[in-house]
């Protein structure tokens, strides 16, 4: 049975969680079909149709397919060229008392579409859980490094200082929005219900001799038995493919967030300031033995692009559904929907693994700050001179000249930024020489350049993150670390 318990692709078999891979597996798909047939039979029996207790019991006892039943279904499908009818007949072989009433009044989309809605619902639940854990891990990282100054970048050029923890809150905020969007999509999912071949419920109206109340009751009862709060009020043969757009949209948006986070980490790895986990025996390159490639982050970027693109499939498929339905959606959706969830699942688990092992190099960070901070401190130097009675314009001109000289030293000579040494040698600045230090609130103390970054981290975690994590306290506390085999 193992081959039928996992959605089989190179992607899922190596990296996806067992729960997500099983959710979209043949075993679970056809189990769900049988459960839907059982729910329909129970509801029809309750509302007065002639269905025996034995039929219901035989169906209940045979919801799980054996390898032998998979073989029977494969032979039936080859003969009938219809997967649903192949499984109707296969189910009847192990539930003979129910063989004549399985799928009674239903169309294929009763099982295929309702099953897909179950998979979307349960898949979003799994993603919500994993995303919450990732937010928790990154929040711990942000808290730990909330006060560690680091060089900020705009246009990937040196900018004003921030902190390592404050930068992480930018990632977390986008993940919180993703969590909100995915939860909204989850809450909006309804059930197709029992609607018949073109959505008119004509077959069920015939079964109940024109009793509209019983047809409505049947729809509500099957919806309840299948674990949904409501069914879509109107459908065609299928549920609207716009639902797929609404579900895959938040996943694609999360893909953009994940790509941004992983790209930042890749850039930081190049700067040697922050690195993803790297095992002691891990090999970065077959040729260059010294390399420490950010392969996990690169994998996140690669898969995130795939995740973002899958949303386009849902958009295009929805747009070309003719009237009550066409079948050109089927093959596309059988690939797109599982791949979207499996890809999102793998991206989340990889990001969690990265977040649980991020390595920060404070001395490298401090060295880069020391190379850029002298230029950033020039305004503070000018203000300090003015406070000592100096002329702002004169101080500005002297700083300008010294800054250009130091810049020449860095760019043309390949030397260190010696602006502060030049200032210390210029008698004009003698009155503030003792203030030119990088600690205890001196003009060059990095902590004086980070603004309210630590306080922003504290406030953000308390007001925005903690309430979300408190709602899922048990999930966060019980979540283990993610181990990646490769």
């Amino acid at each position: 049975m193992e081959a039928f318990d996992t959605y089989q692709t190179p992607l899922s078999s190596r990296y996806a969680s067992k729960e997500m891979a099983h959710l979209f597996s043949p075993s679970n798909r056809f189990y769900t079909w049988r459960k839907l047939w059982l729910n329909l039979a129970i509801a029809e029996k309750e509302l007065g149709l002639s269905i025996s207790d034995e039929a219901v019991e035989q169906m209940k006892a045979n919801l799980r397919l054996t390898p032998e039943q998979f073989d029977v279904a494969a032979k039936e499908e080859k003969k009938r060229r219809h997967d649903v009818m192949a499984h109707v007949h296969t189910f009847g072989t192990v539930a003979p008392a129910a063989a004549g009433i399985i799928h009674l009044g239903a169309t294929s989309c009763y099982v295929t579409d309702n099953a897909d809605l179950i998979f979307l619902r349960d898949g979003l639940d799994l993603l919500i859980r994993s995303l919450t854990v990732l937010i928790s891990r990154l929040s711990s990282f942000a808290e730990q490094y909330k006060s560690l100054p680091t060089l900020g970048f705009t246009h990937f050029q040196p900018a004003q200082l921030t902190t390592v923890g404050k930068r992480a809150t930018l990632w977390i905020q986008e993940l919180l929005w993703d969590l909100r969007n995915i939860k909204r999509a989850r809450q909006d999912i309804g059930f197709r219900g029992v609607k018949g071949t073109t959505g008119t419920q004509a077959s069920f109206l015939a079964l109940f001799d024109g009793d509209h109340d019983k047809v409505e009751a049947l729809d509500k009862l099957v919806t309840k038995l299948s674990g949904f709060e409501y069914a879509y009020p109107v459908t065609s043969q299928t549920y609207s493919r716009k639902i797929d757009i609404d579900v895959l949209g938040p996943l694609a948006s999360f893909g953009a967030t994940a790509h941004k986070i992983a790209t930042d980490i890749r850039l930081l790895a190049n700067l040697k300031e922050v690195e993803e986990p790297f095992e002691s025996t891990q090999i970065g390159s077959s040729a260059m033995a010294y390399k420490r490639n950010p392969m996990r982050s690169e994998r996140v970027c690669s898969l995130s692009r795939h995740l973002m693109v899958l949303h386009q499939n849902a958009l295009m498929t929805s747009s070309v559904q003719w009237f009550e339905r066409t079948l050109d959606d089927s093959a596309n959706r059988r690939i797109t929907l599982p791949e979207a969830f499996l890809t999102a699942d793998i991206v989340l688990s990889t990001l969690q693994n990265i977040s649980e092992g991020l390595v920060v190099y404070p001395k490298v960070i401090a060295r880069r700050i020391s190379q850029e901070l002298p230029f950033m401190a020039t305004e503070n130097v000018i203000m300090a001179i003015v406070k000592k009675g100096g002329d702002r314009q004169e101080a500005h001109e002297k700083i300008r000249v010294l800054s250009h000289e130091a810049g020449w030293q860095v760019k043309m000579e390949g030397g260190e930024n010696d602006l502060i040494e030049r200032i210390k040698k210029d008698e004009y600045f003698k009155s503030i020489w003792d203030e030119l230090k990088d600690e205890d609130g001196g003009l060059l103390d990095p902590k004086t350049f980070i603004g309210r970054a630590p306080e922003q981290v504290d406030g953000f975690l308390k007001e925005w993150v903690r309430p979300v994590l408190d709602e899922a306290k048990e999930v966060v506390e019980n979540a283990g670390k993610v181990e990646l085999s490769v």
Side-chain angles (χ1 to χ4, degrees):
M1 282 293 290
E2 185 175 352
F4 303 109
D5 284 336
T6 301
Y7 183 83
Q8 291 294 318
T9 69
L11 185 73
S12 62
S13 61
R14 292 185 66 186
Y15 304 123
S17 68
K18 290 182 179 179
E19 291 171 296
M20 191 66 81
H22 174 69
L23 179 64
F24 290 96
S25 68
S27 174
N28 190 56
R29 175 171 296 278
F30 300 130
Y31 160 82
T32 305
W33 286 10
R34 289 188 174 187
K35 190 71 165 61
L36 287 165
W37 282 319
L38 172 63
N39 291 344
L40 179 61
I42 290 172
E44 289 175 336
K45 175 180 172 60
E46 184 173 323
L47 290 168
L49 294 189
S50 180
I51 297 175
S52 68
D53 291 338
E54 183 182 12
V56 172
E57 291 305 314
Q58 286 183 2
M59 293 173 78
K60 285 182 180 179
N62 291 280
L63 294 177
R64 298 287 181 187
L65 280 76
T66 64
E68 292 74 20
Q69 288 173 52
F70 271 104
D71 290 340
V72 172
K75 292 175 182 177
E76 288 286 347
E77 185 172 354
K78 186 175 181 180
K79 178 173 66 176
R80 302 176 188 278
R81 309 302 295 176
H82 196 290
D83 56 351
V84 172
M85 287 307 298
H87 279 272
V88 167
H89 284 273
T90 302
F91 198 9
T93 63
V94 292
I101 58 92
I102 294 171
H103 201 66
L104 183 60
T107 187
S108 295
C109 287
Y110 167 70
V111 286
T112 58
D113 274 38
N114 281 323
D116 282 344
L117 289 166
I118 291 171
F119 302 150
L120 296 183
R121 178 195 66 189
D122 294 352
L124 289 177
D125 283 340
L126 292 175
L127 295 181
I128 288 169
R129 185 184 68 187
S130 297
L131 182 50
T132 303
V133 173
L134 174 60
I135 290 170
S136 172
R137 299 294 192 262
L138 286 174
S139 296
S140 298
F141 179 83
E143 169 68 23
Q144 181 179 356
Y145 293 103
K146 65 183 179 182
S147 299
L148 180 61
T150 190
L151 190 63
F153 291 97
T154 58
H155 313 275
F156 202 33
Q157 300 298 312
Q160 196 173 52
L161 298 191
T162 182
T163 68
V164 173
K166 170 62 193 303
R167 178 176 283 149
T169 63
L170 302 180
W171 304 337
I172 298 167
Q173 180 169 247
E174 294 194 10
L175 291 172
L176 285 174
W177 292 334
D178 292 321
L179 183 62
R180 173 203 63 192
N181 295 341
I182 294 173
K183 283 182 175 180
R184 285 176 179 172
R186 165 64 179 85
Q187 292 165 358
D188 285 347
I189 291 180
F191 196 57
R192 176 192 174 275
V194 288
K195 298 295 196 294
T197 55
T198 58
T200 66
Q201 298 177 309
S203 58
F204 296 104
L205 191 63
L207 278 175
F208 289 102
D209 299 322
D211 191 329
H212 291 268
D213 291 338
K214 283 193 174 182
V215 174
E216 289 187 10
L218 178 70
D219 202 2
K220 291 179 180 178
L221 183 53
V222 174
T223 298
K224 182 179 179 180
L225 289 170
S226 301
F228 286 82
E229 294 182 3
Y230 80 103
Y232 297 117
V234 292
T235 73
S236 59
Q237 186 175 98
T238 69
Y239 71 78
S240 170
R241 298 316 184 210
K242 198 167 184 67
I243 302 303
D244 296 342
I245 296 175
D246 291 347
V247 171
L248 266 58
L251 302 192
S253 182
F254 162 68
T257 301
H259 200 292
K260 186 266 192 296
I261 294 172
T263 299
D264 282 355
I265 294 172
R266 291 167 67 187
L267 293 171
L268 290 169
N270 175 263
L271 298 174
K272 297 180 175 60
E273 293 187 1
V274 179
E275 287 183 343
E276 65 178 38
F278 197 91
E279 312 303 332
S280 61
T281 57
Q282 184 174 327
I283 296 174
S285 168
S286 62
M288 296 167 280
Y290 61 88
K291 294 197 74 177
R292 293 170 63 94
N293 297 331
M295 48 86 77
R296 291 171 171 87
S297 297
E298 289 173 315
R299 181 185 301 165
V300 168
C301 288
S302 179
L303 293 177
S304 294
R305 291 197 301 272
H306 178 57
L307 182 57
M308 287 185 274
V309 168
L310 288 173
H311 187 220
Q312 296 299 313
N313 270 342
L315 288 165
M316 290 185 282
T317 297
S318 178
S319 71
V320 297
Q321 290 304 289
W322 301 350
F323 300 114
E324 280 65 50
R325 93 126 342 150
T326 57
L327 195 60
D328 60 354
D329 64 332
S330 181
N332 186 303
R333 293 176 66 255
R334 292 186 188 207
I335 298 171
T336 298
L337 296 182
E339 285 297 312
F341 278 84
L342 290 161
T343 303
D345 175 75
I346 297 163
V347 169
L348 278 166
S349 63
T350 307
L351 277 176
Q352 183 183 332
N353 174 265
I354 292 171
S355 69
E356 290 170 345
L358 281 173
V359 181
V360 178
Y361 297 103
K363 291 185 178 180
V364 176
I365 294 173
R367 183 176 184 274
R368 181 160 284 106
I369 290 175
S370 71
Q371 293 172 336
E372 301 294 341
L373 192 60
F375 292 135
M376 298 178 192
T378 53
E379 184 67 17
N380 289 8
V381 171
I382 293 172
M383 293 301 101
I385 283 291
V386 172
K387 288 179 181 179
K388 296 290 186 179
D391 180 273
R392 192 267 178 196
Q393 277 34 272
E394 184 178 3
H396 183 279
E397 176 60 19
K398 286 187 173 293
I399 286 292
R400 185 188 70 80
V401 172
L402 294 177
S403 294
H404 281 271
E405 292 175 353
W408 176 274
Q409 173 72 15
V410 172
K411 295 178 180 179
M412 304 306 292
E413 302 295 335
E416 297 294 327
N417 187 336
D418 63 354
L419 176 57
I420 300 305
E421 284 69 28
R422 292 175 185 273
I423 293 175
K424 287 180 178 181
K425 293 177 181 178
D426 192 320
E427 289 291 325
Y428 178 81
F429 297 100
K430 186 174 182 179
S431 61
I432 63 165
W433 282 352
D434 61 341
E435 298 179 42
L436 296 173
K437 52 187 179 180
D438 59 6
E439 56 186 13
D440 300 328
L443 293 176
L444 301 176
D445 184 353
K447 289 185 173 62
T448 65
F449 290 84
I450 61 175
R452 299 191 60 254
E455 291 75 18
Q456 286 181 339
V457 173
D458 285 337
F460 174 70
L461 294 179
K462 178 181 178 181
E463 297 176 23
W464 294 95
V465 179
R466 184 48 54 191
V468 172
L469 298 183
D470 285 345
E471 288 181 4
K473 187 175 182 180
E474 185 176 348
V475 168
V476 173
E477 290 180 349
N478 293 333
K481 287 189 174 183
V482 170
E483 301 291 340
L484 299 181
S485 58
V486 289

